[in-house]
């Protein structure tokens, strides 16, 4: 049984609960309710705030796609660089699009 007196453990369980709800809607197990989905997604981001990223990725990232996606989004918001599956391909597409639009890169 989990030690709910530990605030980090209680938060981890809450994050897992939200992730289960989101993953169920994403996979089609549960019909998507747009209002509930948005609420769960916002609560997930709020619950993850301040939680150690590496620890969260190790504990829940592999189990829940919604947690992995939120971690990737948080990394992008903080660092401005995508990580995770497909990041290299997205970078390649963005570079090609910018080059096509006439952007020459960073000026020094």
């Amino acid at each position: 049984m989990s030690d709910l007196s530990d605030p980090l453990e209680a938060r981890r369980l809450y994050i897992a609960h939200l992730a289960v709800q989101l993953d169920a809607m994403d996979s089609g197990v549960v019909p998507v309710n747009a209002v509930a989905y948005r609420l769960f997604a916002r609560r997930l981001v709020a619950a993850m705030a301040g939680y150690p990223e590496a620890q969260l990725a190790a504990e829940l990232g592999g189990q829940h796609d919604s947690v992995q996606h939120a971690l990737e989004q948080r990394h992008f918001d903080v660092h401005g660089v995508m990580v995770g599956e497909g990041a290299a391909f997205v970078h390649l597409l963005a570079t090609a699009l910018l080059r096509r639009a006439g952007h020459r890169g960073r000026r020094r």
Side-chain angles (χ1 to χ4, degrees):
M1 177 99 180
S2 299
D3 180 16
L4 294 179
S5 64
D6 178 16
L8 201 57
E9 176 66 12
R11 191 180 333 170
R12 187 189 66 75
L13 290 173
Y14 180 56
I15 291 169
H17 170 74
L18 293 170
V20 166
Q21 302 299 319
L22 288 167
D23 290 346
M25 284 190 238
D26 283 340
S27 66
V29 173
V30 174
V32 175
N33 177 326
V35 174
Y37 189 92
R38 226 173 139 190
L39 177 70
F40 291 144
R42 284 183 181 174
R43 287 182 177 176
L44 179 67
V45 170
M48 288 173 51
Y51 202 103
E53 190 170 328
Q55 186 177 351
L56 188 58
E59 292 173 350
L60 297 174
Q63 298 171 9
H64 302 287
D65 290 339
S66 56
V67 172
Q68 186 62 39
H69 176 74
L71 286 169
E72 290 171 6
Q73 183 65 45
R74 181 164 88 175
H75 188 273
F76 181 79
D77 291 344
V78 171
H79 302 287
V81 178
M82 292 186 70
V83 294
E85 188 176 320
F89 180 68
V90 170
H91 179 71
L92 183 69
L93 286 177
T95 303
L97 179 64
L98 289 172
R99 194 172 292 135
R100 217 171 161 183
H103 182 36
R104 299 183 194 277
R106 289 185 179 174
R107 293 184 182 171
R108 295 178 194 241

